[in-house]
Every structure is written in C-alpha cells, then in structure tokens.
Amino acid sequence: MTATLAGQVALVTGAGRGIGAAIACELAERGCDLGLVDVDAAGGLNGVAETVRSGGRRALAMSADVTSMTAAEANVTAVIRELGRLDILVCCAGITRDAVVWKMSEEAWDTVLAVNLKGCFTYCRAAAPVLRGQRRGRIVTIASINGMRGKAGQANYAASKAGVIALTKTLARELGPSGVTVNCIAPGFIRTAMTAVLPEAIVAGAIAETALGRLGDPEDVARTAAFLCSEGARHITGEIIKVDGGQYL
Ligand code: NAD
C-alpha cells in the first residue's frame, strides 16, 4: 500500500469495530496516525489501536459518547496534543433501533437521532475551527442508502441519515472557502455486527435487490473513505457516494 496520507492525523468515531475500524486501519495503512473514538471501551477499540501501532503508526484510543459536545471537544484537543495535528475527521459511529412508526418509542427516535445525527454534528463542530484555521482538511461522514430512499421499519435511522447528508452538503459549503472538503459515503448492506442480527430473509432480500448480487464488506467502504481523504479527491466536495454494489439504483 502506498503511503498516500503519510504524516497526516485522522480522527475516526465508531472505530471500535465494523466500518469505523476498517476505515481506521485503511487510513493507518496509508500513513495516518489515528485518534480512535468509541463508546464501547470494552469492545474492539484497543485491538484496533494495536493493529494501527503494529503497522508503525501512532494510535490514541479514546472512550467517548459522540452525543456529547464536551467529549468531542476534549477528543479533538487530545488528538492535537498527543498526535500533533488534525487533518481528517471521519464520523462513523451509528446505531439502529428499528420499528415501524406506530410501534416506535419516543426513546428509540431520540436515541438514534442523537447518536447518528447529533453525534456527527458534535465532532464536525469541534474539528471545523481547526481545519478552517489551517486551510486544509477532509471530513467524511457515513450515511446510508436508506437515508436517500427511505426504509420501512427505519424511520428514525433513515431520517438521521438524511440529516447527515444535509449536514454534509451544508458543511461543504461552509468549509469549501477554507479549502476543506466534506463528503459523505452512503453504504448499502455491509457485513458487520450491526447487520449480523438481521433475519436471513432480510439478508436474502438485500442480496436480491443488489445489482452485484452480494453484500459489501467494511473494507469496501474503507477504501472509498481513504480515496475521499486523498489528494486525488481534492476537487470533490458535498458529494454523496453510494458504496452499495448497486443496491439502490
Ligand atoms: P457497528 O455496530 O458494527 O459499529 C458501530 C460502532 O459505533 C460500534 O463500535 C459502537 O460501539 C459505536 N458507537 C455506537 N454508539 C456510539 C456512541 N454513542 N458514541 C461513540 N461510538 C458509538 O456498525 P457498522 O455496521 O460498522 O456501522 C458503522 C456506520 O455505518 C454507522 O453509522 C451505520 O449507520 C453505517 N452504515 C452501516 C451499514 C451496514 O450495513 N452495516 C449500512 C449503511 C450505513
């Protein structure tokens, strides 16, 4: 792997497992040092940090809830203090609490909106002054094709991801004049712990509606994120890139 991001520092939320972990490892392979954030400190966070370090890069593992503005600011400050700078922010932390609207609890609505949408805002809010000040940087958010097309049983999740898309486009306009790009990846069905709990019929349905006839892996999303962070993507901003094998066409 060529170290196309050598010397850069990235902060990834939801980095303890799944897509966030794959993005962190991909960015490390390309030369980044990593700030890693996850609410589940007992999960894979330290293992991901070890993987980053075993590849010769530095890693700072931080246990935090992305819904907290205070935590976001503390994490950005810690990354700059410990790793020296901040070039890339990837907002990947996310959850589901599925139910049809007439059975969805207020708590399920609030929690999903808080983690998926506010949890993106908090880290963008904390990182934006840093990236603006240095007049360069990359932000990548993670939405979902279900935030574009809607999905029965996922009103909270789809609304949160549509919000992430709007946040991304707005931030792209706000940070563009400072030379910072802001893009969004909208994955289709990806094999992770989040989707492992779904019934076999749902999985079969996802494969059937996908042009490539298969499910995605976290690495498929990670490679796209790394591209969006690269110099090769310098003229791409405010874009929503589906990584879905043609699931939503
Ligand atoms: P995952 O459940 O495997 O990983 C999510 C990670 O986020 C976990 O480590 C979890 O502890 C962390 N997290 C959850 N709440 C948090 C909080 N409040 N603060 C900090 N960290 C928190 O899920 P995944 O499949 O890897 O999904 C990653 C992202 O990709 C999510 O935003 C998800 O919505 C999105 N996505 C996933 C799929 C898919 O099919 N797996 C499809 C489209 C979009």
Side-chain angles (χ1 to χ4, degrees):
M1 180 70 62
T2 49
T4 48
L5 300 174
Q8 299 199 38
V9 174
L11 173 56
V12 180
T13 72
R17 69 181 196 193
I19 294 170
I23 291 173
C25 293
E26 184 76 26
L27 294 178
E29 274 191 37
R30 298 193 189 213
C32 286
D33 292 330
L34 263 301
L36 307 164
V37 173
D38 205 286
V39 74
D40 183 10
L45 198 59
N46 288 326
V48 175
E50 275 314 307
T51 304
V52 170
R53 291 186 192 114
S54 68
R57 309 264 47 103
R58 293 180 296 165
L60 179 64
M62 297 172 287
S63 170
D65 183 336
V66 292
T67 63
S68 164
M69 190 67 239
T70 311
E73 281 167 354
N75 290 163
V76 166
T77 301
V79 163
I80 292 168
R81 186 181 62 237
E82 302 293 326
L83 303 177
R85 53 187 298 115
L86 178 65
D87 305 283
I88 293 165
L89 169 67
V90 181
C91 296
C92 190
I95 58 168
T96 53
R97 287 281 181 83
D98 295 354
V100 287
V101 165
W102 56 93
K103 291 183 178 172
M104 185 175 288
S105 68
E106 185 180 2
E107 190 268 341
W109 175 271
D110 287 346
T111 307
V112 168
L113 267 290
V115 174
N116 295 5
L117 181 52
K118 185 187 175 190
C120 231
F121 162 74
T122 50
Y123 280 76
C124 292
R125 171 71 183 84
V130 177
L131 305 182
R132 281 188 77 210
Q134 66 200 20
R135 298 195 65 80
R136 67 184 288 275
R138 297 279 197 263
I139 296 177
V140 177
T141 60
I142 307 296
S144 163
I145 58 168
N146 292 344
M148 306 170 83
R149 67 177 183 173
K151 179 76 176 173
Q154 289 199 315
N156 51 359
Y157 183 81
S160 73
K161 295 302 190 180
V164 168
I165 289 170
L167 172 64
T168 303
K169 291 182 178 180
T170 301
L171 258 180
R173 290 196 176 279
E174 292 179 351
L175 294 177
S178 302
V180 177
T181 72
V182 190
N183 291 291
C184 177
I185 299 173
F189 197 113
I190 307 291
R191 282 184 203 278
T192 67
M194 179 182 274
T195 49
V197 295
L198 294 172
E200 195 46 48
I202 300 277
V203 178
I207 294 171
E209 69 179 358
T210 300
L212 292 177
R214 63 165 182 258
L215 304 178
D217 292 314
E219 291 71 24
D220 293 314
V221 181
R223 283 188 286 267
T224 306
F227 166 68
L228 288 171
C229 294
S230 73
E231 183 60 19
R234 69 177 192 172
H235 204 52
I236 300 172
T237 197
E239 193 55 75
I240 317 304
I241 298 186
K242 288 182 286 154
V243 177
D244 72 342
Q247 188 177 353
Y248 173 45
L249 293 175

